[in-house]
């Protein structure tokens, strides 16, 4: 049996994609050496940025790529840790100069999901909308800005600790979505008292130090109410738009319109209104309007935007969220899953055409 061609092996490995940074290994400087040893063994020395063994996905990518080369019968992978300088160089090469996602020069469409009051389904809308956008083929990040009641990691089943390379924080991934939450940075079970400046700093880090990699969409799950977080976000991402969530109840609508007023005060445009928990379809096929009717339409009318979608109450949606599954996984054929798909398509329509080179002016 013939030995593998070393040049072919090296070039196939250089084109293999790092599962975390989504770039070819060759451009990342991950390949310290690639050799062909006796009996068709591909010997790969990796230079990796994170201490410990290389991740499972990276190992699979490397061995899969090597095994695709004719004559390779086994793969041996060794690894070594990058130096601080190599790490900094790596991240500088990957992301260039750090700037806030959605800030000047960024093509990311940032949408904050807001409501005046708690419990209406902001986090459910954020997570399910994100997963539906990803299913349509868009790159999506979710920033859980609810620093007091973070629930996004649980709802998406995105557990663990973010990887940090040089001074860049890499989001976790779940259901095709990148996620960052304060949950990842507070010790288990400890309450954090966020004071204004600290909160402002944390949000700045989430927008600037996190390597979001220019997603098409960044959805921000806002805390209930209309306070400090909204002001900070509006300062870091002046172009962010606001999606209002309400229930059909008239009282919920009144509070949600306060969120609309807040958006107006900080000069953020509204994208539209989502009415959640609109009805429950019984086994008899009848719709039961458990929380009344008309709240979403009324809020949309008074805020002069469209009611984009009504999302019914679906038991599996709640149950799925508790297990870390979006409704498109727990109940893919449900009315709610279809509603989120429609909402995702609506949101794509509202995407502004952004000039990515603000320095270029016509005329
Ligand atoms: N359409 C729905 N059908 C069934 N359950 C739902 C629906 N929308 C939300 N829920 C459930 O209602 C609860 C509250 O929703 P969620 O946490 O999304 O609200 P929230 O506005 O983010 O709350 P908070 O203000 O506390 O952040 C959750 O348990 C969620 O799973
Ligand atoms: Mg929430």
């Amino acid at each position: 049996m013939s030995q593998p061609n070393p040049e072919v092996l090296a070039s196939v490995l250089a084109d293999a994609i790092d599962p975390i940074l989504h770039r070819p290994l060759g451009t990342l400087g991950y390949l310290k050496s690639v050799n062909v040893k006796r009996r068709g063994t591909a010997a790969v020395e990796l230079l990796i940025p994170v201490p410990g063994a290389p991740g499972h996905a990276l190992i699979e990518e490397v061995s899969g790529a090597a095994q695709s080369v004719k004559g390779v019968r086994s793969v041996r992978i060794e690894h070594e840790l990058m130096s601080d300088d190599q790490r900094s160089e790596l991240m500088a090469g990957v992301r260039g100069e750090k700037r806030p996602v959605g800030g000047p020069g960024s093509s990311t469409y940032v949408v904050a999901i807001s409501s005046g009051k708690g419990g209406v389904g902001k986090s459910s809308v954020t997570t399910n909308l994100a997963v539906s956008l990803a299913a349509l083929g868009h790159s999506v990040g979710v920033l859980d800005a609810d620093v007091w009641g973070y629930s996004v990691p649980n709802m998406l089943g995105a557990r663990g600790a973010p990887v940090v390379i040089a001074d860049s924080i890499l989001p976790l991934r779940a259901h095709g979505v990148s996620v960052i939450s304060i949950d990842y940075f507070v010790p288990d079970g400890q309450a954090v008292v966020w004071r204004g400046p600290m909160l402002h700093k944390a949000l700045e880090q989430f927008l600037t130090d996190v390597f979001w990699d220019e997603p098409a969409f960044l959805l921000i799950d806002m805390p209930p109410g209309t306070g400090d977080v909204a002001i900070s976000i509006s300062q870091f991402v002046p172009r962010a738009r606001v999606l209002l969530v309400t229930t059909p109840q008239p009282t919920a609508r009144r509070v949600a319109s306060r969120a609309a007023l807040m958006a107006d005060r900080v000069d953020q445009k509204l994208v539209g209104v989502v009415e959640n928990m609109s009805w429950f379809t019984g086994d008899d096929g009848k719709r039961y309007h458990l929380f009344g009717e008309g709240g979403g339409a009324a809020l949309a009318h008074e805020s002069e935007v469209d009611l984009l979608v009504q999302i019914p109450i679906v038991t599996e949606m709640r149950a799925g969220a508790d297990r870390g599954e979006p409704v498109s996984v727990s109940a893919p054929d449900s009315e709610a899953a279809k509603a989120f798909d429609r909402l995702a398509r609506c949101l794509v329509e509202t995407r502004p055409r952004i000039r990515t080179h603000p320095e270029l002016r016509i005329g």
Side-chain angles (χ1 to χ4, degrees):
M1 188 144 168
S2 67
Q3 282 282 85
N5 178 325
E7 271 111 61
V8 174
L9 179 65
S11 108
V12 166
L13 284 169
D15 289 343
I17 302 291
D18 174 47
I20 292 182
L21 292 175
H22 312 287
R23 304 280 194 287
L25 302 185
T27 66
L28 296 175
Y30 279 16
L31 298 168
K32 189 177 175 212
S33 74
V34 176
N35 287 295
V36 172
K37 301 283 183 191
R38 291 193 328 163
R39 292 202 206 99
T41 299
V44 185
E45 269 186 302
L46 293 175
L47 198 53
I48 55 172
V50 195
H56 192 65
L58 177 59
I59 294 285
E60 278 195 357
E61 177 72 16
V62 169
S63 21
Q67 266 152 1
S68 75
V69 174
K70 208 173 123 225
V72 170
R73 286 157 72 196
S74 64
V75 185
R76 197 175 74 212
I77 301 171
E78 286 171 359
H79 66 272
E80 200 175 288
L81 186 61
M82 284 184 177
S83 68
D84 287 349
D85 285 350
Q86 285 169 325
R87 257 195 295 271
S88 306
E89 203 178 299
L90 165 71
M91 286 319 288
V94 167
R95 64 183 301 190
E97 215 171 292
K98 275 190 192 174
R99 14 169 238 201
V101 61
S106 159
S107 59
T108 300
Y109 181 21
V110 181
V111 179
I113 289 74
S114 280
S115 75
K117 77 169 196 172
V120 301
K122 289 175 298 299
S123 305
S124 306
V125 168
T126 307
T127 52
N128 284 291
L129 173 58
V131 172
S132 296
L133 283 166
L136 292 177
H138 301 285
S139 50
V140 188
V142 172
L143 167 51
D144 182 359
D146 189 346
V147 291
W148 299 280
Y150 38 83
S151 49
V152 171
N154 279 331
M155 285 185 170
L156 281 175
R159 314 277 354 154
V163 167
V164 178
I165 301 179
D167 50 4
S168 289
I169 303 163
L170 308 190
L172 273 73
R173 296 273 300 174
H175 304 285
V177 170
S178 300
V179 188
I180 278 293
S181 169
I182 208 83
D183 189 8
Y184 302 139
F185 302 92
V186 298
D188 258 354
Q190 283 188 25
V192 177
V193 183
W194 291 99
R195 293 173 214 286
M198 222 168 111
L199 187 59
H200 194 71
K201 187 74 203 149
L203 290 168
E204 181 181 24
Q205 280 199 298
F206 285 172
L207 292 162
T208 309
D209 290 345
V210 171
F211 177 51
W212 293 104
D213 206 7
E214 290 287 307
F217 294 86
L218 181 77
L219 306 186
I220 305 181
D221 185 19
M222 298 293 285
T226 51
D228 293 353
V229 175
I231 295 170
S232 294
I233 298 280
S234 71
Q235 287 174 4
F236 296 124
V237 195
R239 277 199 321 237
R241 298 201 181 174
V242 174
L243 182 63
L244 292 174
V245 183
T246 188
T247 62
Q249 277 165 292
T251 50
R253 190 206 85 220
R254 269 204 298 282
V255 214
S257 67
R258 264 189 253 145
L261 284 178
M262 180 68 200
D264 193 51
R265 202 172 316 142
V266 295
D267 216 14
Q268 285 173 329
K269 275 197 197 147
L270 298 181
V271 181
V273 171
V274 173
E275 187 187 84
N276 187 30
M277 310 189 187
S278 297
W279 60 77
F280 176 80
T281 306
D283 290 339
D284 53 6
K286 269 208 325 236
R287 284 182 178 181
Y288 295 90
H289 295 272
L290 304 181
F291 294 114
E293 278 179 80
L299 175 63
H301 180 75
E302 85 198 34
S303 333
E304 298 176 351
V305 289
D306 292 335
L307 171 61
L308 301 178
V309 77
Q310 290 176 293
I311 299 160
I313 299 170
V314 167
T315 315
E316 293 86 356
M317 182 167 145
R318 203 266 319 138
D322 292 346
R323 294 194 298 270
E325 283 175 1
V327 69
S328 60
V329 171
S330 60
D333 298 323
S334 64
E335 290 176 288
K338 288 173 190 154
F340 281 112
D341 175 65
R342 276 204 304 282
L343 177 59
R345 289 169 198 275
C346 277
L347 195 70
V348 172
E349 292 288 305
T350 69
R351 198 166 155 190
R353 292 181 60 96
I354 294 170
R355 274 187 297 136
T356 47
H357 297 284
E359 68 278 10
L360 294 182
R361 296 240 158 70
I362 298 165

